[in-house]
Amino acid sequence: MEQLKTIGRELAMGSQGGFGQSKEFLDLVKSIGEARSKAEEDRIVLSEIDILKRRLLEPDIPKRKMKEYIIRLVYIEMLGHDASFGYIHAVKMTHDDNLLLKRTGYLAVTLFLNEDHDLIILIVNTIQKDLRSDNFLVVCAALNAICRLINEETIPAVLPQVVELLNHQKEAVRKKAIMALHRFHRKSPSSVSHLITNFRKRLCDNDPGVMGATLCPLFDLISEDVSSYKDLVSSFVSILKQVTERRLPKSYDYHQMPAPFIQIKLLKIMALLGSGDKNASEIMSMVLGDLFRKCDSSTNIGNAILYECIRCISCILPNPKLLEAAADAISKFLKSDSHNLKYMGIDGLGRLIKISPDIAEQHQLAVIDCLEDPDDTLKRKTFELLYKMTKSSNVEVIVDRMIDYMISINDNHYKTEIASRCVELAEQFAPSNQWFIQIMNKVFEHAGDLVNIKVAHNLMRLIAEGFGEDDDDADSKLRLSAVESYLQLISEPKLPSLFLQVISWVLGEYGTADGKYSASYISGKLCDVADAYSSDETVKGYAVSALMKIYAFEIASGRKVDVLPECQSLIEELLASHSTDLQQRAYELQALLALDARAVESILPLDASCEDIEVDKDLSFLNGYIQQAIESGAQPYISERERSGMFETTDYHPQDHHEVPSHALRFEAYELPKPSGPPQASNELVPVPEPSYYSESHQPISTSLVSERESSEIKLRLDGVKQKWGRPSYQSTTSSSSTTQQAANGTPTYSDAGVGSSSSKPRSSYEPKKPEIDPEKQRLAASLFGGSSSRTDKKSSSGGHKPAKGTVNKPAAVPKENQTPVQPPPDLLDLGEPTATTVTAMDPFKELEGLMDSSSQDGDSSDVMGLYSDAAPVTSTTSVDSLLSELSDSSKGNPRTYQSQTSKGPNTKEALEKDALVRQMGVNPTSQNPTLFKDLLG
Amino acid sequence: MIKAVMMLNTQGKPRLAKFYDYLPVEKQQELIRGVFSVLCSRPENVSNFLEIDSLFGPDSRLVYKHYATLYFVLVFDGSENELAMLDLIQVLVETLDKCFSNVCELDIVFNYSKMHAVLDEIVFGGQVLETSSAEVMKAVEEISKLEAASNSISLVPKSVSGWRGR
């Protein structure tokens, strides 16, 4: 019997198309469902596009057909094919009076068009008309379309109507109007800035749904400007209180929680308002405490609210009791079996650790578990936590773990992030130089192409400067260990380019410094590098420069240089290189080999990469020459800026019409072109005298490798700063007139990082600890969490460390961590922030509040909030009081007692039928269970 | 703010995709493919959360839920709560289930406009609008009633249960 029914239905579908669609569409979906490959699918879609193109050209298409064509267009575009040939038909459909067609049209255009599309102009008029419609569903459809289709220029066209709709009698319309206004605010804050008070007003709306919707724009507004919304703190708190006391209608409950989404938004807003504000935090603490007690941690949504509470507490200035409650909640999360809750627990721990650093120790085993979990998301979150709690006592374990993980993943995006974190932690907490270099080697080896180039420059400078102590012996040991490790690594295949640059530079600078390795050995290795990576010009450049240094040191120390045959051939090859930079380096090397020891020594002194050279950027030594020239009749130099300034004063401006927005037509005639000032004879300008420019420099200028790429560098060179090699990444282009410049064989130096400043690091604070990575979790935990070291440890070490190395590229995370208050929270509370609560008599909110308070006592039905409590017990139409019926019209007589669908529970018979249909359509469900969503409702 | 809602089947075919900021078709496809490749590499019984800065820019999170042959995916930024978003998927699915009684992949394919109507009642312009599936149902029913009324000949049966009841 059942089977017969199914067959009958299939027949019916075959002839007229089930689901109201034609057979053609069904066939299309079916054949795409059965497509074995992407190519096959593409072929089907392309033929469908052909069909539709032809069909749409036919005259007098019935509207019913047209609607289906448009749905088919949407379907095609969802599969990734261009359906732009049919856009105009979708636009036309929005003009239709039939609601079904109009909605289809709106749906299609919102999916097809972006807000700047040319066709939008054809829709604006319809939207305006629809916003005025008597039918609220039409209004809703139009509001929906507005959110996607209106751009900055068209906002004024619909704005007045949207504002009017804020007072519409239907709460669904009010809600959507607020959302639309919010959208406008996101797109162009200036266009609605005068309407922001509307959001405050709507917060007191009769309908809790509208109030809830208002929280979205208010959240945005408050995160932009906290101070001007401080007066709302008590209102938000009292709303939250009423929500948690279940004074909203039952229909707002979700899984027995009263209006959880409203609670979450409120908590987010409170976190913003309460951060750093003692007064606000105190007002909030009551309701937060209540929430912890009341929240049902057995449901997902209950946990969502708990997590939001933790987040809120980590932002405001909490009292110890709240902190305790938050810590309890976190430990519940971490102990849970659900990965989702563990994730939230780790996240919460990371937030709370800023306030109370020792909280992590209770959960060490749970954290280790998460670290070893197969769930990648959880693992990453845990690494984020570890990153936050790194200090010098556990840095080795954490960084080792991070590097292991970094090597194991393929996701370049995350690899980059974790590599930069490793570098940052290593720079901050490195227990020893050798360890630091080892870590850097690993990072470069496995993620060399992903790390920032500044990291490489930092490493080079670190090796050049040592750790800032005046201990030459330690420095040379460091260099030797670097050189040794590089010589080991250099023959590995396929090293990242950046790493090779570092290796070449260090080998050139210090390869022969100790006398352990001979010049010919090092130069041979360098030649190998240049050979093996012959397509990488940057590496080649570094290698040639390194060769030059090695030979220079040899010549300077009076030894005879014999250039290896492969070096000779390399030089010859580069002399004819297409790259002018490489050519220049090769010529310089050749020239240098011919010089005598004294000259060479002054060109490339040994280990002088950190010496400063004073550069007189103003070229003041030329003043006399200029004076002389002016006296003898030359015109004074006019800077380029002044010259162009003069040019602008003339009326005619050739670029004029480019600056006018392109869509605005220009009606008046163009002015006649005027001669743009007297032509300036360039030969009368005082030229920068070239010979003296060169005499100022101590060595031939070599163009930098990257000058083509970095425009800032061009500016640098114009300023008279010359670079030998390396990139100028941290040389600020706006340096003061007398800037420090890198030395002849220079690593780039910071203009502000004085090299001589040898601030000694408080190494003493580091207690050498040998944490071993034992598979046994306890021991790992002990090395991670143990040592009872406080965060001050980290601070002092980083504080001393940083200036020594002058790391400029510290990410923003550092100040964030340094500001972590170590004091117990009561001290923080005593900091005493001035209250920003300014109450104006005109504020509608205060009035509302008064009403709320009175309502809580006598339940006055005129009170806005009281309404919720009145409506709360409403489950049958009998108890709908006059006010409630006033706000809900006949169609919504009994709010949210929609019960009819309860009879539609999972019905196996129906499900079987449907499953048969599904299989017939070629969409093969993988699961055995035909009741596809049984797990949901069962 | 919610950035995107997607429904993909287990073969990676999009069944519904809605982006709350305009993206060109190619970019949408790229994101859908990217999301799918991440999702299908996830083992069973792990968390439903993902951080996907690599696809959607900084501070992007993704919550997904796997039902039978479909992945339901929400992409959003830091101003939303992950667990709450997971429940929003639940709301969406519950509503669809009520709409189509035991919703399956085919329902979603063929009732494209109704799907969007449901979604538009729940998420509006990237913000959560309504979380009560009964309320959403009511709004959707109202729309279909009106649509039916505005058509002299009923073009589309109100829902699958409409023709099933015959």
Side-chain angles (χ1 to χ4, degrees):
Chain A
M1 186 62 197
E2 273 312 309
Q3 249 180 342
L4 272 178
K5 252 190 200 167
T6 317
I7 292 169
R9 191 163 304 125
E10 277 165 16
L11 281 175
M13 271 179 57
S15 58
Q16 55 175 249
F19 303 105
Q21 265 86 16
S22 73
K23 176 136 187 342
E24 265 182 345
F25 185 44
L26 293 185
D27 287 343
L28 171 70
V29 174
K30 189 177 164 188
S31 54
I32 285 177
E34 282 166 352
R36 291 273 160 268
S37 65
K38 181 80 184 138
E40 194 182 339
E41 184 188 308
D42 283 349
R43 214 177 51 240
I44 296 166
V45 175
L46 286 177
S47 76
E48 169 74 6
I49 288 176
D50 267 354
I51 295 173
L52 283 177
K53 269 186 185 162
R54 255 184 290 122
R55 293 281 171 80
L56 287 171
L57 286 177
E58 287 170 12
D60 300 329
I61 307 167
K63 283 178 177 169
R64 199 170 66 96
K65 270 249 148 66
M66 186 51 113
K67 174 180 166 289
E68 193 199 300
Y69 292 155
I70 294 211
I71 292 289
R72 277 155 80 170
L73 285 174
V74 172
Y75 188 68
I76 288 168
E77 192 148 295
M78 190 179 69
L79 292 172
H81 294 264
D82 180 39
S84 55
F85 60 90
Y87 288 178
I88 187 69
H89 298 280
V91 170
K92 267 193 221 154
M93 191 159 266
T94 62
H95 305 332
D96 203 288
D97 288 330
N98 182 316
L99 180 69
L100 177 60
L101 296 181
K102 186 185 274 300
R103 284 183 55 90
T104 308
Y106 272 137
L107 170 65
V109 288
T110 48
L111 292 170
F112 286 152
L113 306 183
N114 74 353
E115 55 197 37
D116 300 322
H117 199 279
D118 293 339
L119 290 174
I120 297 286
I121 204 77
L122 298 174
I123 305 173
V124 171
N125 203 9
T126 317
I127 290 179
Q128 280 179 326
K129 208 178 81 211
D130 289 345
L131 286 176
R132 276 189 233 108
S133 165
D134 298 332
N135 187 338
F136 82 98
L137 289 173
V138 175
V139 178
C140 284
L143 281 173
N144 215 344
I146 279 179
C147 283
R148 264 300 289 277
L149 300 178
I150 295 294
N151 67 8
E152 214 174 329
E153 285 160 37
T154 36
I155 283 175
V158 294
L159 193 57
Q161 282 150 24
V162 173
V163 173
E164 223 169 89
L165 290 174
L166 288 175
N167 297 312
H168 197 273
Q169 49 164 347
K170 276 274 188 189
E171 69 285 333
V173 176
R174 290 204 298 273
K175 228 170 9 177
K176 287 184 178 169
I178 284 174
M179 296 294 207
L181 213 54
H182 179 202
R183 192 77 180 168
F184 293 164
H185 178 258
R186 277 188 166 231
K187 268 185 192 150
S188 137
S190 58
S191 66
V192 291
S193 54
H194 57 291
L195 296 168
I196 279 172
T197 47
N198 278 305
F199 292 134
R200 280 169 174 257
K201 265 188 229 152
R202 280 297 127 210
L203 195 59
C204 334
D205 197 280
N206 287 343
D207 186 83
V210 179
M211 184 271 295
T214 318
L215 296 176
C216 301
L218 280 175
F219 174 77
D220 274 12
L221 287 169
I222 291 172
S223 45
E224 280 157 24
D225 173 19
V226 178
S227 55
S228 45
Y229 291 89
K230 290 278 186 192
D231 55 318
L232 289 182
V233 170
S234 49
S235 309
F236 287 129
V237 169
S238 79
I239 294 174
L240 182 58
K241 202 154 171 270
Q242 295 187 49
V243 173
T244 54
E245 283 166 3
R246 296 182 177 275
R247 295 179 52 191
L248 294 198
K250 267 268 179 296
S251 53
Y252 285 92
D253 282 10
Y254 176 81
H255 290 212
Q256 279 90 50
M257 287 298 288
F261 283 82
I262 291 179
Q263 288 192 44
I264 287 168
K265 264 270 136 52
L266 281 169
L267 283 166
K268 284 203 183 280
I269 290 176
M270 278 161 56
L272 290 176
L273 286 172
S275 87
D277 185 335
K278 189 180 151 204
N279 251 33
S281 305
E282 271 168 18
I283 299 172
M284 292 168 191
S285 58
M286 254 287 276
V287 70
L288 284 172
D290 281 351
L291 270 176
F292 273 119
R293 249 174 285 121
K294 279 184 188 166
C295 254
D296 170 20
S297 57
S298 63
T299 60
N300 191 38
I301 197 73
N303 287 319
I305 294 174
L306 271 182
Y307 166 75
E308 213 50 64
C309 287
I310 295 169
R311 236 182 107 151
C312 183
I313 283 169
S314 72
C315 292
I316 66 172
L317 304 175
N319 62 37
K321 242 186 184 163
L322 280 182
L323 271 179
E324 211 175 286
D328 281 350
I330 286 178
S331 67
K332 257 188 233 157
F333 282 167
L334 287 173
K335 278 177 198 142
S336 145
D337 287 334
S338 152
H339 279 85
N340 291 346
L341 291 185
K342 277 187 191 163
Y343 175 89
M344 296 319 253
I346 294 280
D347 187 86
L349 203 57
R351 290 174 191 278
L352 224 56
I353 213 170
K354 284 185 273 178
I355 307 174
S356 55
D358 20 303
I359 179 180
E361 275 165 43
Q362 311 160 22
H363 304 299
Q364 26 184 293
L365 286 180
V367 172
I368 305 288
D369 275 341
C370 292
L371 201 58
E372 274 153 17
D373 201 274
D375 185 351
D376 223 34
T377 314
L378 193 55
K379 223 181 226 173
R380 289 182 191 185
K381 200 80 201 170
T382 314
F383 274 116
E384 209 179 299
L385 172 70
L386 290 183
Y387 166 74
K388 281 181 192 158
M389 50 181 255
T390 307
K391 46 202 173 208
S392 44
S393 62
N394 59 15
V395 62
E396 288 169 85
V397 191
I398 289 179
V399 172
D400 277 353
R401 283 251 155 186
M402 280 182 162
I403 286 180
D404 285 348
Y405 182 60
M406 182 186 83
I407 295 170
S408 74
I409 56 173
N410 295 320
D411 173 0
N412 269 358
H413 182 81
Y414 193 64
K415 217 173 191 169
T416 314
E417 194 181 311
I418 203 160
S420 70
R421 282 186 173 173
C422 284
V423 170
E424 191 191 323
L425 291 179
E427 282 179 350
Q428 238 176 317
F429 301 112
S432 69
N433 301 348
Q434 267 80 6
W435 180 84
F436 180 75
I437 287 178
Q438 264 173 24
I439 292 298
M440 295 308 276
N441 286 354
K442 275 191 195 158
V443 171
F444 276 118
E445 202 180 332
H446 297 286
D449 292 325
L450 303 171
V451 294
N452 195 316
I453 192 153
K454 285 177 188 172
V455 173
H457 290 171
N458 272 345
L459 178 60
M460 288 191 248
R461 211 190 43 257
L462 173 85
I463 292 171
E465 286 174 8
F467 267 81
E469 282 159 275
D470 288 330
D471 186 353
D472 285 345
D473 200 36
D475 283 355
S476 58
K477 256 190 205 153
L478 167 75
R479 287 164 193 161
L480 185 63
S481 75
V483 169
E484 274 173 350
S485 68
Y486 291 157
L487 284 174
Q488 266 172 25
L489 280 168
I490 202 167
S491 39
E492 300 255 330
K494 291 228 162 118
L495 289 173
S497 165
L498 200 55
F499 192 30
L500 285 166
Q501 292 166 29
V502 175
I503 291 177
S504 304
W505 187 85
V506 172
L507 287 185
E509 199 73 32
Y510 302 109
T512 54
D514 257 15
K516 188 172 171 189
Y517 300 103
S518 71
S520 62
Y521 178 69
I522 300 281
S523 56
K525 287 284 183 192
L526 286 168
C527 280
D528 290 348
V529 168
D531 269 350
Y533 300 88
S534 55
S535 56
D536 188 337
E537 287 191 358
T538 320
V539 170
K540 264 173 153 174
Y542 269 89
V544 175
S545 297
L547 279 178
M548 173 151 63
K549 275 184 273 185
I550 286 177
Y551 291 137
F553 299 152
E554 288 296 293
I555 295 171
S557 62
R559 281 188 288 266
K560 190 175 152 10
V561 174
D562 36 25
V563 181
L564 293 175
E566 60 252 46
C567 292
Q568 197 60 55
S569 64
L570 177 73
I571 294 168
E572 268 154 30
E573 179 203 322
L574 293 185
L575 284 174
S577 169
H578 287 302
S579 153
T580 47
D581 173 68
L582 287 180
Q583 229 182 65
Q584 175 140 13
R585 279 168 202 264
Y587 274 110
E588 279 169 24
L589 174 53
Q590 213 174 32
L592 186 123
L593 289 174
L595 291 173
D596 65 13
R598 211 183 48 79
V600 169
E601 197 173 1
S602 61
I603 295 171
L604 282 172
L606 189 62
D607 189 19
S609 58
C610 303
E611 305 302 319
D612 290 354
I613 292 177
E614 288 289 320
V615 176
D616 185 356
K617 262 184 23 181
D618 288 345
L619 308 178
S620 56
F621 55 90
L622 289 174
N623 285 351
Y625 175 84
I626 292 167
Q627 200 61 35
Q628 214 177 351
I630 289 174
E631 270 163 21
S632 60
Q635 267 197 2
Y637 174 71
I638 305 161
S639 75
E640 204 175 340
R641 193 158 37 82
E642 283 166 44
R643 267 179 286 163
S644 61
M646 271 169 64
F647 189 60
E648 265 163 10
T649 54
T650 61
D651 283 336
Y652 176 67
H653 209 289
Q655 267 87 31
D656 218 328
H657 56 274
H658 286 301
E659 284 157 21
V660 179
S662 51
H663 56 267
L665 286 174
R666 198 184 143 137
F667 293 107
E668 66 271 30
Y670 290 107
E671 300 91 346
L672 282 173
K674 288 175 193 163
S676 55
Q680 294 180 347
S682 61
N683 57 352
E684 279 180 337
L685 293 174
V686 175
V688 180
E690 282 198 306
S692 42
Y693 180 72
Y694 277 115
S695 73
E696 174 258 340
S697 62
H698 304 291
Q699 76 272 350
I701 303 164
S702 93
T703 48
S704 166
L705 260 176
V706 284
S707 56
E708 308 90 1
R709 265 185 270 162
E710 285 176 54
S711 59
S712 64
E713 174 148 355
I714 292 162
K715 192 168 172 204
L716 274 176
R717 276 208 294 138
L718 285 175
D719 285 344
V721 179
K722 292 160 298 300
Q723 265 192 287
K724 258 323 231 182
W725 44 73
R727 299 185 188 201
S729 12
Y730 10 66
Q731 207 124 25
S732 79
T733 48
T734 54
S735 45
S736 54
S737 61
S738 134
T739 178
T740 53
Q741 192 219 8
Q742 57 193 67
N745 45 353
T747 357
T749 51
Y750 298 125
S751 51
D752 56 347
V755 178
S757 70
S758 55
S759 53
S760 65
K761 308 153 306 212
R763 256 298 131 64
S764 50
S765 65
Y766 168 69
E767 289 145 34
K769 202 174 201 176
K770 278 277 164 280
E772 56 232 281
I773 312 164
D774 199 300
E776 205 190 326
K777 278 175 201 162
Q778 260 92 347
R779 292 174 83 178
L780 177 58
S783 53
L784 279 175
F785 297 91
S788 71
S789 35
S790 69
R791 308 273 288 179
T792 41
D793 184 343
K794 167 178 184 169
K795 274 203 283 188
S796 63
S797 126
S798 71
H801 211 114
K802 252 184 346 186
K805 294 195 288 158
T807 28
V808 176
N809 63 330
K810 274 282 178 293
V814 175
K816 184 187 79 201
E817 278 170 21
N818 281 353
Q819 77 181 8
T820 39
V822 192
Q823 307 102 307
D827 289 2
L828 284 172
L829 286 171
D830 286 341
L831 290 174
E833 295 275 333
T835 26
T837 2
T838 46
V839 185
T840 47
M842 304 297 280
D843 181 18
F845 242 87
K846 283 287 148 186
E847 292 167 42
L848 166 75
E849 232 185 284
L851 283 171
M852 280 177 201
D853 289 345
S854 69
S855 82
S856 60
Q857 283 143 23
D858 54 25
D860 183 2
S861 62
S862 68
D863 164 29
V864 186
M865 285 300 169
L867 242 185
Y868 305 159
S869 59
D870 284 349
V874 175
T875 40
S876 66
T877 32
T878 50
S879 62
V880 176
D881 65 15
S882 59
L883 255 165
L884 201 66
S885 54
E886 191 185 301
L887 77 122
S888 56
D889 69 10
S890 58
S891 69
K892 203 202 174 214
N894 184 6
R896 295 155 197 256
T897 44
Y898 186 80
Q899 294 289 326
S900 68
Q901 73 282 355
T902 45
S903 59
K904 292 186 193 168
N907 180 334
T908 338
K909 237 186 245 173
E910 277 182 9
L912 274 169
E913 282 170 35
K914 196 172 262 184
D915 190 50
L917 177 61
V918 166
R919 284 176 200 282
Q920 193 249 335
M921 292 311 297
V923 186
N924 290 317
T926 49
S927 105
Q928 292 284 53
N929 179 8
T931 316
L932 300 175
F933 289 84
K934 199 174 186 175
D935 53 336
L936 177 77
L937 295 173
Chain B
M1 153 169 189
I2 296 172
K3 296 182 180 176
V5 179
M6 294 178 205
M7 295 179 200
L8 311 172
N9 75 0
T10 35
Q11 282 131 44
K13 290 203 173 100
R15 288 313 186 191
L16 182 136
K18 184 149 184 153
F19 294 83
Y20 288 94
D21 285 313
Y22 176 81
L23 291 170
V25 182
E26 301 79 44
K27 181 77 184 161
Q28 290 185 11
Q29 289 301 309
E30 190 191 315
L31 290 176
I32 290 172
R33 272 197 302 276
V35 166
F36 178 72
S37 70
V38 178
L39 287 186
C40 63
S41 66
R42 301 270 298 168
E44 297 264 326
N45 301 325
V46 291
S47 65
N48 300 81
F49 310 141
L50 276 172
E51 278 165 36
I52 45 164
D53 307 13
S54 48
L55 287 174
F56 285 87
D59 196 27
S60 309
R61 294 107 190 263
L62 179 151
V63 165
Y64 71 97
K65 214 157 180 184
H66 189 173
Y67 288 107
T69 57
L70 282 178
Y71 285 110
F72 286 71
V73 180
L74 279 182
V75 183
F76 51 93
D77 64 14
S79 65
E80 307 285 346
N81 179 314
E82 279 101 335
L83 287 171
M85 286 297 116
L86 198 59
D87 268 43
L88 196 67
I89 294 184
Q90 182 86 5
V91 170
L92 177 62
V93 176
E94 267 176 38
T95 315
L96 293 181
D97 213 73
K98 283 174 186 169
C99 245
F100 302 112
S101 72
N102 295 315
V103 63
C104 72
E105 205 181 323
L106 263 192
D107 290 323
I108 294 170
V109 179
F110 286 120
N111 294 281
Y112 205 79
S113 48
K114 189 157 187 175
M115 287 295 305
H116 276 279
V118 170
L119 190 57
D120 286 346
E121 288 301 317
I122 296 174
V123 182
F124 187 91
Q127 303 288 343
V128 181
L129 183 72
E130 179 61 68
T131 51
S132 148
S133 59
E135 267 315 273
V136 175
M137 274 302 294
K138 210 158 71 184
V140 173
E141 296 271 313
E142 235 169 310
I143 291 168
S144 5
K145 223 184 293 170
L146 228 113
E147 281 179 350
S150 66
N151 273 322
S152 45
I153 349 138
S154 176
L155 302 179
V156 185
K158 258 172 279 171
S159 67
V160 184
S161 57
W163 56 262
R164 180 161 287 147
R166 271 181 293 171

